[in-house]
Amino acid sequence: MPESPRWLVKKDRMADAAEALALLDDLPSDSAVVAADLATIHQSLVDEHIGTSGSPFALTENRHLHRTILAITVNILAQMSGVNIITFYSTTIFQNTLGYSGTIARVISGCLQIWQFVAAGLAILLVDRVGRRKLLLAGAIGMTVATTALAGLESDLSNKSAASASIFFYFVALFFFPIGLFLIPFMYAAEIAPLRIRAKVTAMSASSNWLFNFLIAEVTPIGFATITWKYYLIYACINAFAIIVYYLFYPETQGRTLEEIDDIFIQSHSIFDPVKIAKNLPFREAVTSEGLKHLHDEKVTEIRTEAGLGLVT
């Protein structure tokens, strides 16, 4: 397995980086596309040092603090959707609250877990077709509907039909959560983190995810014991808030190179800018020899010379 092209460029091993890129793209090492990619990577490494701090909380030009907060927040909101009420306590709810037998309660809970597994597989197929931002929004909207419906249906347990109908919304919740809020928060945190602080940001975001997972597991029995069905309303409100947060602050990263994501944040001057910039920033062209005219010719020529690739003719 070859070394990362970015690492090779960082170590000034341009010829080796060209070979690695050529292998990844299934192109000749002297391809114009490879030369353009080398130029892009080289520039991204220069831009990486715009923020000279290695702290994820630094107020740098490439917005370390902003990106760290986005990465942590998306993981916190995912866990605060309330999904673990279902995954941890569904059997107890079906048996003690909805009145099903222990056997039936376990069968339904097993079906829910299988359903969640299937939905997570569907998410893998959708993430690069639909995009991260749309799936985050879909997940939050679905969880808002599910938790609101569960609160309403379980507010009057004397109505057995309404209580039984609530099972449908448990399946709704375990469809929308894995579609938009299960895998994507981890992926998104890694994608938006600058290379220099990526390990720190992903570690903090993953820790936040599991910390709030633990929190929900601990407080849920107390919540149901004290406020019963109203406990769902807390998560309905949090999910509604998450819809607004994802819409206003989370740019789409689908199809973007790491260098383009850096550029989105470098161009941003406020927390509201990344979404607008991501919508308007052109995607990297499928560069050909003709397409190289749109790049900085001097930089491309310099990179090709350092890599021993010769000049584009």
Side-chain angles (χ1 to χ4, degrees):
M1 180 178 292
E3 297 284 0
S4 160
R6 287 178 179 79
W7 183 84
L8 292 168
V9 172
K10 190 173 184 178
K11 296 298 182 181
D12 204 28
R13 293 167 55 182
M14 306 305 295
D16 291 336
E19 291 292 339
L21 280 171
L23 184 62
L24 290 170
D25 293 336
D26 195 23
L27 292 169
S29 60
D30 60 352
S31 164
V33 176
V34 170
D37 284 344
L38 281 174
T40 301
I41 292 171
H42 185 274
Q43 186 59 47
S44 75
L45 291 173
V46 173
D47 291 341
E48 181 182 334
H49 292 281
I50 290 176
T52 56
S53 174
S55 169
F57 304 109
L59 297 172
T60 59
E61 289 185 42
N62 56 353
R63 306 187 72 81
H64 282 193
L65 178 61
H66 181 186
R67 295 158 85 168
T68 299
I69 291 173
L70 289 178
I72 292 174
T73 301
V74 71
N75 278 275
I76 292 175
L77 289 176
Q79 284 302 322
M80 291 302 291
S81 65
V83 68
N84 284 321
I85 297 174
I86 304 168
T87 54
F88 293 161
Y89 296 104
S90 58
T91 301
T92 301
I93 293 170
F94 296 150
Q95 189 171 350
N96 297 341
T97 304
L98 301 185
Y100 288 95
S101 68
T103 300
I104 295 300
R106 286 166 175 79
V107 169
I108 297 172
S109 293
C111 291
L112 281 169
Q113 299 305 322
I114 295 170
W115 175 246
Q116 181 175 220
F117 175 77
V118 172
L122 180 60
I124 295 173
L125 300 177
L126 292 176
V127 66
D128 279 329
R129 291 176 171 83
V130 177
R132 287 73 158 141
R133 175 180 162 86
K134 290 179 182 177
L135 290 181
L136 284 172
L137 287 167
I141 291 169
M143 289 301 296
T144 302
V145 172
T147 49
T148 302
L150 288 171
L153 290 169
E154 295 187 14
S155 63
D156 181 12
L157 293 176
S158 63
N159 184 340
K160 296 300 180 182
S161 297
S164 298
S166 67
I167 292 177
F168 170 76
F169 288 97
Y170 287 113
F171 280 91
V172 170
L174 288 193
F175 175 78
F176 281 99
F177 176 81
I179 285 291
L181 301 173
F182 182 30
L183 303 174
I184 291 177
F186 294 102
M187 177 192 304
Y188 195 91
E191 287 181 339
I192 64 168
L195 286 171
R196 191 174 186 185
I197 59 170
R198 177 159 298 147
K200 297 175 184 177
V201 172
T202 54
M204 288 189 293
S205 61
S207 297
S208 300
N209 191 297
W210 291 110
L211 178 62
F212 279 81
N213 180 303
F214 172 77
L215 175 66
I216 300 303
E218 291 298 306
V219 304
T220 291
I222 301 170
F224 276 128
T226 53
I227 58 175
T228 62
W229 61 270
K230 299 181 185 71
Y231 185 60
Y232 288 112
L233 292 178
I234 296 173
Y235 298 99
C237 293
I238 292 172
N239 286 312
F241 172 72
I243 296 171
I244 298 170
V245 171
Y246 296 147
Y247 183 80
L248 292 178
F249 304 116
Y250 283 78
E252 180 59 74
T253 58
Q254 177 195 11
R256 295 291 188 184
T257 64
L258 297 177
E259 292 76 27
E260 287 175 324
I261 294 171
D262 281 339
D263 198 28
I264 288 170
F265 285 94
I266 289 171
Q267 291 186 38
S268 299
H269 299 292
S270 78
I271 60 174
F272 297 100
D273 288 347
V275 171
K276 294 181 288 185
I277 292 172
K279 288 180 179 179
N280 297 321
L281 186 71
F283 284 82
R284 183 174 64 87
E285 297 177 338
V287 184
T288 60
S289 296
E290 183 67 23
L292 288 174
K293 293 177 181 178
H294 297 288
L295 300 172
H296 298 294
D297 291 336
E298 292 182 2
K299 175 58 67 178
V300 173
T301 300
E302 177 186 338
I303 295 295
R304 291 183 63 87
T305 301
E306 289 182 25
L309 302 179
L311 300 176
V312 180
T313 58

